[in-house]
């Protein structure tokens, strides 16, 4: 399944939502569920190892978090017995079990779903009789890393954000800025440094204090890695809008970036990176 077909498959959940949701609210369901399914697939190969490690460390009375991250092979984990597939086995308790699954994630992942206000959507979908159907649809989405790379997943997620933005006229420009505009800005930022950036072993930090949904950071990373695949790029950002912050942090997680570098809050009144210096500081248009 190519990227366009995959985006269309994920967005087809809108057919289930039509009537109970306004078009402008489709993304409030589709975006967090896409993130959830991707994480579900990423953690699947180490699920049993993580559960065994969790049981062992709890019996020993030790803080399990560092051991669970190691067992998962990722910077995040889920200690719940559930995954999306197991949720399908108990239709009557889908809301309760889905919440338990979300609560089993490590703090940085729970933070994403908190800012998506995912719990509100669980309630809304359950009351409309749609929660099981929507969860079932996403449980079938082929988002395993063996089939979809982080880069491809980032492009799919970007396409979903674009569709969401087009339907949300009241927030157009807040959630998404055309990538042609961002690429022009990124080219202007890096144009004089091409020679230095193409050297072996180059390491760069990029910070966007008004990160929006992370478009500027993502395109800047693409520019550097296309020019120099061996480059090491750290992305940092801060965003005030809760939904944009959740989308940005989710996008960074999907692409394998350290989501601890993405902060929530007002850069002017509560700078998350006071006194720090960066190789590049951008001001994103979204």
């Amino acid at each position: 399944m190519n990227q366009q077909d995959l985006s269309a498959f994920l967005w087809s959940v809108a057919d289930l939502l039509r009537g109970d949701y306004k078009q402008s609210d489709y993304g409030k369901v589709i975006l967090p569920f896409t993130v959830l399914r991707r994480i579900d697939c990423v953690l699947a190969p180490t699920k049993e190892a993580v559960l065994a490690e969790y049981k062992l460390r709890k019996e020993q009375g030790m803080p399990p978090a560092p051991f669970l991250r190691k067992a998962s092979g990722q910077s995040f984990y889920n200690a719940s017995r559930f995954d999306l597939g197991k949720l399908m086995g108990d239709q009557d308790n889908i809301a309760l079990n889905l919440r338990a699954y979300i609560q089993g994630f490590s703090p940085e992942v729970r933070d994403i779903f908190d800012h998506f206000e995912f719990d509100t959507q669980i309630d809304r979908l359950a009351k409309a009789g749609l929660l099981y159907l929507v969860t079932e649809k996403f449980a079938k989405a082929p988002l395993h890393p063996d089939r979809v790379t982080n880069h491809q997943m980032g492009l799919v997620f970007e396409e979903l954000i674009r569709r969401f933005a087009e339907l949300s006229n009241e927030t157009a420009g807040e959630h998404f800025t055309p990538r042609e505009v961002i690429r022009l800005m990124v080219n202007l930022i890096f144009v004089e440094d091409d020679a230095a950036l193409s050297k072996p072993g180059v390491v760069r930090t990029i910070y966007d204090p008004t990160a929006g949904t992370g478009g500027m950071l993502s395109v800047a990373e693409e520019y550097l890695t296309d020019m120099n695949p061996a480059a090491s790029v750290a992305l940092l950002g801060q965003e005030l809008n809760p939904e944009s912050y959740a989308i940005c942090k989710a996008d960074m997680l999907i692409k394998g970036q350290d989501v601890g570098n993405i902060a929530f809050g007002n850069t002017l009144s509560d700078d998350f990176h006071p006194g720090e210096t960066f190789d590049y500081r951008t001001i994103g248009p979204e």
Side-chain angles (χ1 to χ4, degrees), residues 35-78:
V35 175
L36 181 60
R37 177 54 177 164
R38 175 61 171 188
I39 297 172
D40 190 67
C41 291
V42 168
L43 295 179
T46 58
K47 181 71 174 180
E48 295 305 318
V50 168
L51 292 179
E53 192 71 33
Y54 181 73
K55 180 181 179 182
L56 174 64
R57 300 306 171 182
K58 294 298 273 188
E59 289 173 350
Q60 294 175 338
M62 300 179 67
F67 300 100
L68 299 185
R69 294 183 199 278
K70 183 176 181 180
S72 75
Q74 305 291 334
S75 62
F76 52 91
Y77 60 84
N78 186 288

Side-chain angles (χ1 to χ4, degrees), residues 29-236:
V29 173
I30 294 172
L31 293 178
F33 262 106
T34 298
V35 175
L36 181 60
R37 177 54 177 164
R38 175 61 171 188
I39 297 172
D40 190 67
C41 291
V42 168
L43 295 179
T46 58
K47 181 71 174 180
E48 295 305 318
V50 168
L51 292 179
E53 192 71 33
Y54 181 73
K55 180 181 179 182
L56 174 64
R57 300 306 171 182
K58 294 298 273 188
E59 289 173 350
Q60 294 175 338
M62 300 179 67
F67 300 100
L68 299 185
R69 294 183 199 278
K70 183 176 181 180
S72 75
Q74 305 291 334
S75 62
F76 52 91
Y77 60 84
N78 186 288
S80 164
R81 64 184 177 89
F82 293 108
D83 56 27
L84 286 184
K86 289 186 173 69
L87 290 175
M88 296 297 93
D90 189 357
Q91 183 171 354
D92 292 339
N93 294 298
I94 182 67
L96 178 67
N97 293 341
L98 179 54
R99 285 192 171 95
Y101 182 36
I102 297 297
Q103 288 304 308
F105 281 111
S106 47
E108 64 275 12
V109 178
R110 292 201 307 272
D111 182 58
I112 292 172
F113 290 103
D114 285 345
H115 284 86
F116 269 129
E117 297 185 346
F118 192 52
D119 197 64
T120 300
Q121 301 309 320
I122 292 175
D123 274 340
R124 186 173 175 183
L125 289 167
K127 289 177 181 177
L130 296 173
L131 183 58
Y132 186 85
L133 293 174
V134 170
T135 307
E136 183 181 39
K137 180 84 170 181
F138 277 96
K140 297 176 181 177
L143 300 185
H144 195 281
D146 288 346
R147 302 183 63 176
V148 184
T149 67
N150 282 346
H151 177 68
Q152 291 169 329
M153 192 66 229
L155 295 177
V156 168
F157 197 61
E158 179 181 301
E159 172 65 13
L160 296 178
I161 295 169
R162 183 190 64 77
R163 293 190 185 206
F164 177 37
E166 287 178 351
L167 293 173
S168 303
N169 291 325
E170 67 273 21
T171 56
E174 181 175 343
H175 288 297
F176 186 83
T177 299
R179 286 303 178 257
E180 314 85 73
V181 175
I182 296 179
R183 288 191 180 95
L184 174 60
M185 296 177 68
V186 167
N187 286 338
L188 293 174
I189 291 171
F190 293 135
V191 66
E192 295 183 358
D193 294 342
D194 282 3
L197 295 174
S198 61
K199 293 180 179 178
V202 65
V203 178
R204 290 293 184 270
T205 56
I206 305 170
Y207 175 55
D208 188 343
T210 56
T213 58
M216 195 77 162
L217 291 173
S218 293
V219 174
E221 180 188 30
E222 289 171 12
Y223 182 99
L224 290 181
T225 54
D226 285 348
M227 176 188 298
N228 184 353
S232 177
V233 183
L235 305 180
L236 304 93

Side-chain angles (χ1 to χ4, degrees), residues 232-277:
S232 177
V233 183
L235 305 180
L236 304 93
Q238 186 161 341
E239 173 54 34
L240 177 61
N241 179 282
E243 193 167 45
S244 296
Y245 163 77
I247 293 172
C248 177
K249 195 169 180 179
D251 191 35
M252 295 298 109
L253 187 74
I254 283 171
K255 292 176 179 175
Q257 280 285 334
D258 181 0
V259 296
N261 290 334
I262 307 299
F264 176 70
N266 189 324
T267 305
L268 296 178
S269 60
D270 186 21
D271 187 359
F272 190 74
H273 302 282
E276 294 186 43
T277 57

